[in-house]
């Protein structure tokens, strides 16, 4: 037994080292050695072993990136070395001014600069003690920030352990969201009727300032270090040495930095990246220029807000003029008609822009955008094209104002704009455009994750009448699929396999996939965790729902409304009949003796502390809730029970004493 435990410990240590090594290859060296599948397999093995031996979980285990409990707000962290911000230079002349100022202050000494990309994200500080990540914090006001350790631990680019032990090192850098991830996140939010993030910086900030680390973990954030704060046992004489040393410690540093001996070379570097910035997979909003020598930095010092040894060169926002050829309407899965401007193609910030969202009727009216107008477009957060203004002087009189139609452009049914809302909606729940969008959402990555079920295939399935609701997907046959355009036998086979695989998804994915209005990923997780099964969720009352944390009246009403509809119930029955999993417990957990059971503890137990009892329940697959409801399976009663005992009596929930509990858990 002892020896077995030793073996497990060893394997855990191996797995942790291996996973961290592959993170390092991927995020620091940008040169992965193994496939994503192999990486996932290592991670799964680690999670499984740790769930069998919870006492062997260490705080620096890569598994801790996903864990952590939701907390009440954030604690504050004091930055002993303040996190300053930078003064800005607009244009090349201001960079030359900066260089002159620096050289004058240094009495005419020779100065070298390091130029770096200015990543558009959120400044964070990572504190490592004896090589272990202990605290992660936001910049806040520069003096005090928020403790977001649990969230930063979910960012895989952030090492939990340094490659060499340093007594103390506070790493400073930028947490950011890559462009791809940002676009995908906004697409998903639009589909779920949630507000969009204006740019990747807001998305990164919103994702890190989440009370639930699981949400942060799902957001695919990344990190680049650009300096240090407090340190002990970390020696460097120049900024270039600092960056090199950080990288050697396993911390990702953006590889495009350069040591430049003259301001004119710095200017050439800025010009280069102003041109090329759109080729990067993350957004940058300028270049940061820093004096290389740390000794010179110390002599230059700082003002209250920013150091005198660094400056941020800001890129001008790129704009373009073009013409609105047409305004079309897109029908979303909730029936919302979104107007989109079709533009005369124009080059802007690295891409050819052909359309821009106009959001809703009010946006068009406020900006007075007419068909035929010449408009100025700009990319919001450098990614999403937006109409910023109309060039009224170029009007010829032939421009036509946009009128929101009274009927859905896809199915002809009545379209209405409820009072107090900005959106106009198609009222036909069987509208083919809504069906298509709904299916695309159902199959999307964060929902049922059915690979190969994209826009084109969905369009064909709907047009051919093969799929009339999401449940129909599970009844598709090979002979029906191979008949479709551009879908060979191999693709058809793969699609069927992906559909089959999606049947075993956990419940929260299914809830999110159903596209219930206002129910995003976070709410889906809360509902799945609380009710445990679709059947229980479908019977939940409005009162039960609003009583849950973070579930407000809008979500509660939407959920009960959804399950009250005959049509939706029919679809759910079909999903169940097809064998789609409707429980939150995973396959492996189903075998556990208390799988799916909800416990409430009240009073003092003799043999266990409250915490021990909770741990046992969770280890055996059950869940512990803090309040009694009709969904509670057992109320465990110890000495001097509280009001939960009476509530259990009045609801008729099974009540067990400690000896019965011990029997139940087989101890
Ligand atoms: S240096 C005292 N380097 O820009 C020096 N900042 O406007 C502190 N940023 O708060 C910052 N990339 O969030 C530095 N390579 C880089 C950066 C960078 C992005 C952000 C950072 C800072 C803001 C200042």
């Amino acid at each position: 037994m002892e020896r077995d435990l030793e073996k497990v410990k060893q394997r855990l240590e191996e797995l942790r080292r291996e996973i961290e090594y592959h993170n390092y290859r991927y995020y620091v060296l940008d040169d992965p050695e193994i496939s994503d599948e192999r990486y996932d397999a290592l991670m799964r093995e680690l999670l499984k072993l740790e769930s069998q031996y919870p006492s062997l979980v260490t705080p620096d285990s890569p598994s801790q990136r996903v864990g952590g409990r939701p907390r009440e707000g954030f604690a504050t962290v004091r930055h002993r070395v303040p996190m300053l911000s930078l003064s800005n230079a607009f244009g090349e002349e201001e960079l030359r001014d900066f260089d002159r100022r620096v050289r004058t202050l240094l009495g005419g000494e020779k100065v070298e600069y390091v130029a770096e990309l200015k990543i558009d994200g959120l400044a964070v500080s990572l504190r490592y003690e004896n090589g272990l990540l202990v605290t992660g914090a936001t910049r806040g006001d520069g003096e005090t920030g928020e403790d977001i350790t649990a969230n930063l631990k979910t960012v895989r680019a952030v090492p939990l352990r340094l490659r060499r032990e340093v007594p103390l090192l506070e790493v400073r850098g930028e947490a950011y969201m890559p462009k791809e991830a940002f676009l995908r996140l906004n697409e998903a939010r639009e589909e779920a009727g949630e507000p969009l993030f204006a740019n990747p910086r807001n998305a990164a900030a919103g994702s890190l300032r989440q009370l639930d680390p699981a949400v942060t973990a799902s957001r695919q954030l990344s990190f680049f270090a650009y300096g240090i704060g407090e340190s002990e046992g970390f020696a460097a004489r120049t900024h270039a040495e600092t960056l090199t040393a950080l990288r050697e410690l396993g911390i990702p540093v953006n590889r495009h930095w350069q040591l430049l001996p003259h301001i004119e070379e710095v200017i050439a570097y800025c010009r280069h990246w102003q041109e090329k910035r759109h080729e990067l997979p993350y957004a940058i909003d300028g270049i940061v220029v820093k004096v290389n020598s740390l000794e010179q930095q110390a002599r230059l010092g700082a003002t209250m807000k920013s150091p005198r040894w660094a400056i941020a060169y800001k890129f001008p926002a790129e704009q373009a003029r073009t013409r609105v050829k047409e305004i079309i309407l897109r029908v979303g899965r909730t029936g919302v008609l979104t107007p989109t401007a079709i533009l005369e193609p124009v080059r802007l910030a690295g891409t050819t822009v052909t359309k821009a969202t106009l959001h809703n009727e009010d946006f068009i009216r406020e900006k007075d955008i007419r068909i035929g107008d010449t408009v100025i477009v700009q990319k919001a957060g450098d990614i999403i094209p937006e109409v910023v203004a109309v060039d009224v002087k170029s009007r010829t009189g032939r421009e036509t104002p946009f009128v929101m139609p009274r009927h859905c452009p896809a199915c002809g049914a009545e379209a209405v704009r409820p009072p107090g809302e900005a959106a106009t909606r198609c009222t036909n729940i069987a509208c083919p455009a809504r069906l298509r969008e709904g299916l695309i959402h159902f199959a999307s990555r964060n929902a049922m994750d059915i690979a190969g079920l994209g826009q084109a295939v969905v369009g064909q399935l709907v047009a051919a009448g093969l799929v009339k609701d999401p449940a129909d997907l599970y009844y598709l046959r090979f002979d029906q699929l191979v008949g479709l355009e551009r879908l060979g036998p191999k693709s058809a086979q793969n699609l069927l396999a992906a559909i089959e695989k999606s049947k075993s998804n956990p419940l929260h994915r299914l809830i999110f996939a159903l596209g219930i209005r206002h129910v995003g990923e976070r709410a889906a997780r809360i509902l799945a965790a609380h009710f445990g099964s679709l059947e229980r969720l479908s019977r939940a009352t409005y009162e039960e729902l609003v009583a849950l944390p973070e579930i407000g009246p809008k979500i509660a009403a939407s959920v009960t409304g959804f399950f009250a509809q005959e049509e939706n119930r029919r679809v759910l029955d079909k999903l169940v009949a097809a064998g789609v999993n409707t429980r939150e417990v995973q396959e492996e957990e189903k075998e556990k003796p208390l799988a799916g059971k909800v416990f409430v503890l009240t009073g003092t137990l003799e043999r266990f502390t409250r915490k021990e009892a909770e741990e046992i329940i969770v280890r055996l697959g059950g869940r512990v809730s803090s309040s009694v409801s009709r969904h509670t399976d057992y109320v465990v009663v110890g000495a001097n029970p509280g009001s939960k005992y009476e509530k259990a009596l009045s609801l008729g929930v099974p009540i067990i004493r400690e000896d019965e509990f011990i029997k139940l858990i087989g101890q």
Side-chain angles (χ1 to χ4, degrees):
M1 188 65 193
E2 279 284 287
R3 279 201 33 225
D4 279 358
L5 204 62
E6 258 327 293
K7 270 199 188 143
V8 173
K9 251 190 192 162
Q10 254 177 31
R11 179 65 190 144
L12 279 171
E13 189 54 23
E14 256 168 47
L15 282 167
R16 285 171 193 151
R17 295 241 169 224
E18 209 172 324
I19 291 170
E20 284 303 332
Y21 171 74
H22 291 301
N23 279 346
Y24 168 73
R25 299 279 325 182
Y26 189 92
Y27 291 104
V28 182
L29 304 184
D30 204 3
D31 181 20
E33 250 174 29
I34 57 168
S35 66
D36 288 358
E37 286 75 26
R38 180 80 196 105
Y39 179 90
D40 289 344
L42 289 172
M43 198 65 178
R44 269 200 306 276
E45 186 183 345
L46 176 74
L47 291 173
K48 192 161 176 199
L49 259 187
E50 287 187 344
S51 72
Q52 286 164 349
Y53 299 91
S55 63
L56 299 183
V57 178
T58 55
D60 65 332
S61 169
S63 64
Q64 298 309 293
R65 293 185 187 281
V66 259
R69 279 161 183 264
R71 286 195 277 132
E72 311 282 333
F74 295 104
T76 55
V77 173
R78 252 194 106 69
H79 303 302
R80 285 217 242 144
V81 176
M83 289 183 79
L84 300 178
S85 81
L86 295 172
S87 49
N88 293 323
F90 297 96
E92 297 175 357
E93 218 24 65
E94 292 191 17
L95 277 179
R96 292 191 184 96
D97 290 344
F98 164 74
D99 172 55
R100 269 191 288 275
R101 218 160 43 235
V102 164
R103 283 185 298 119
T104 309
L105 285 168
L106 291 173
E109 273 172 33
K110 184 166 168 31
V111 183
E112 281 187 326
Y113 295 107
V114 168
E116 294 166 15
L117 304 185
K118 186 170 186 299
I119 313 292
D120 199 12
L122 184 75
V124 296
S125 144
L126 306 170
R127 190 182 176 88
Y128 291 89
E129 286 175 9
N130 300 319
L132 285 188
L133 175 63
V134 288
T135 315
T138 61
R139 173 172 177 269
D141 61 5
E143 301 258 326
T144 20
E146 284 169 319
D147 182 341
I148 52 164
T149 313
N151 293 348
L152 280 168
K153 277 186 169 179
T154 72
V155 179
R156 286 195 184 165
V158 169
L160 303 178
R161 176 159 52 177
L162 300 179
R163 292 174 72 75
R164 182 168 58 75
E165 236 179 69
V166 177
L168 172 64
L169 183 63
E170 199 194 322
V171 177
R172 291 187 173 169
E174 201 80 353
Y176 68 94
M177 184 175 286
K179 287 178 187 168
E180 254 310 297
F182 168 70
L183 287 173
R184 250 188 283 116
L185 174 63
N186 257 357
E187 267 168 32
R189 290 176 74 86
E190 185 166 36
E191 292 297 344
E194 295 172 41
L196 303 188
F197 287 115
N199 50 51
R201 187 217 331 260
N202 291 2
S207 305
L208 280 171
R209 299 188 66 262
Q210 284 282 341
L211 289 177
D212 182 355
V215 176
T216 315
S218 73
R219 296 275 172 90
Q220 297 178 44
L221 296 171
S222 200
F223 173 78
F224 283 130
Y226 51 64
I228 63 167
E230 247 192 305
S231 77
E232 268 171 46
F234 181 91
R237 281 170 304 133
T238 62
H239 184 61
E241 275 177 29
T242 304
L243 295 181
T244 310
L246 285 174
R247 193 180 143 105
E248 279 164 11
L249 287 170
I251 297 161
V253 172
N254 186 277
R255 65 193 166 93
H256 296 300
W257 67 271
Q258 273 187 26
L259 180 60
L260 302 166
H262 198 277
I263 196 69
E264 289 309 317
E265 285 170 278
V266 170
I267 290 169
Y269 178 94
C270 293
R271 278 193 201 146
H272 172 83
W273 283 110
Q274 191 158 319
E275 245 333 85
K276 297 275 182 214
R277 63 167 153 154
H278 309 299
E279 293 169 18
L280 294 166
Y282 39 81
I284 62 171
D285 59 344
I287 299 296
V288 182
V289 184
K290 300 172 183 174
V291 169
N292 188 36
S293 153
L294 299 189
E295 185 272 321
Q296 287 182 334
Q297 283 190 6
R299 268 193 284 146
L300 288 162
T303 65
M304 285 293 282
K305 278 204 243 98
S306 49
R308 292 194 194 88
W309 46 264
I311 197 155
Y313 170 78
K314 295 284 249 204
F315 295 140
E318 284 180 61
Q319 295 192 333
R321 265 165 65 95
T322 185
R323 211 178 59 88
V324 177
K325 288 202 296 192
E326 205 186 337
I327 295 179
I328 60 156
L329 289 159
R330 209 178 67 93
V331 187
R333 78 182 153 84
T334 53
V336 175
L337 310 188
T338 307
T340 302
I342 302 298
L343 306 169
E344 210 77 78
V346 62
R347 283 298 289 179
L348 174 63
T351 60
T352 301
V353 174
T354 56
K355 50 190 172 188
T357 175
L358 299 175
H359 307 287
N360 53 48
E361 201 177 359
D362 293 348
F363 179 88
I364 300 176
R365 191 165 305 148
E366 269 161 35
K367 292 231 151 50
D368 189 20
I369 301 166
R370 304 181 189 176
I371 300 158
D373 263 343
T374 299
V375 291
I376 311 297
V377 282
Q378 183 175 308
K379 281 195 180 171
D382 234 21
I383 298 185
I384 310 165
E386 211 175 54
V387 173
V388 284
V390 173
D391 182 2
V392 184
K393 285 201 223 88
S394 333
R395 277 195 178 145
T396 60
R398 285 195 300 274
E399 295 76 16
T400 41
F402 170 77
V403 187
M404 193 53 113
R406 299 263 185 85
H407 295 95
C408 169
C411 70
E414 195 189 355
V416 295
R417 178 175 172 180
E421 282 195 32
T424 305
R425 285 195 163 75
C426 164
T427 50
N428 172 14
I429 52 159
C431 170
R434 289 179 66 172
L435 175 60
R436 270 196 306 272
E437 296 294 327
L439 288 169
I440 291 167
H441 167 74
F442 186 84
S444 65
R445 212 164 128 138
N446 292 345
M448 294 301 266
D449 193 19
I450 305 177
L453 200 60
Q455 205 123 18
V457 177
V458 165
Q460 291 197 62
L461 291 173
V462 172
L466 290 173
V467 175
K468 297 201 167 61
D469 61 53
D472 285 341
L473 291 171
Y474 295 94
Y475 295 85
L476 286 171
R477 292 188 321 264
F478 181 75
D479 59 297
Q480 294 174 315
L481 290 180
V482 280
L484 299 177
E485 237 177 88
R486 284 197 301 270
L487 205 72
K490 185 89 187 97
S491 314
Q493 204 87 60
N494 289 345
L495 181 55
L496 285 175
I499 293 173
E500 186 61 30
K501 182 165 160 244
S502 76
K503 285 186 185 172
S504 46
N505 278 334
L507 175 63
H508 68 264
R509 280 182 172 268
L510 178 62
I511 297 175
F512 176 59
L514 290 173
I516 305 169
R517 265 190 85 195
H518 307 302
V519 178
E521 278 176 79
R522 169 89 182 127
R525 276 178 194 276
I526 295 172
L527 296 173
H530 184 82
F531 293 101
S533 75
L534 188 66
E535 206 266 328
R536 280 185 173 177
L537 173 65
S538 71
R539 284 188 284 117
T541 62
Y542 175 87
E543 287 70 26
E544 279 176 287
L545 288 162
V546 279
L548 293 178
E550 293 178 58
I551 303 293
K554 250 173 39 182
I555 299 182
S558 175
V559 170
T560 50
F562 179 87
F563 288 105
Q565 278 187 35
E566 190 66 34
E567 170 62 16
N568 292 336
R569 284 188 171 271
R570 199 184 54 76
V571 173
L572 296 178
D573 288 346
K574 261 165 69 183
L575 283 168
V576 172
V580 174
N581 171 49
T582 53
R583 301 183 67 91
E584 186 64 349
V585 277
Q586 301 277 319
E587 219 42 62
E588 327 173 354
E589 292 191 334
K590 273 190 196 156
E591 293 149 20
K592 295 187 177 175
L594 302 184
K597 298 281 183 259
V598 183
F599 286 77
V600 172
L601 304 170
T602 177
T604 317
L605 301 177
E606 274 180 46
R607 267 191 53 185
F608 316 96
T609 63
R610 180 66 69 92
K611 192 148 174 281
E612 285 164 359
E614 286 183 5
E615 276 169 9
I616 293 169
I617 292 168
V618 172
R619 194 169 52 202
L620 298 178
R623 282 178 296 128
V624 180
S625 167
S626 56
S627 59
V628 181
S629 77
R630 281 189 287 123
H631 299 300
T632 311
D633 291 291
Y634 297 104
V635 175
V636 184
V637 189
N640 304 319
S643 61
K644 292 174 198 166
Y645 177 59
E646 272 124 59
K647 179 108 187 259
L649 281 175
S650 70
L651 287 176
V653 170
I655 296 169
I656 56 173
R657 293 184 316 269
E658 187 167 3
D659 53 334
E660 291 166 302
F661 175 65
I662 291 170
K663 241 193 244 152
L664 192 69
I665 60 177
Q667 291 224 334

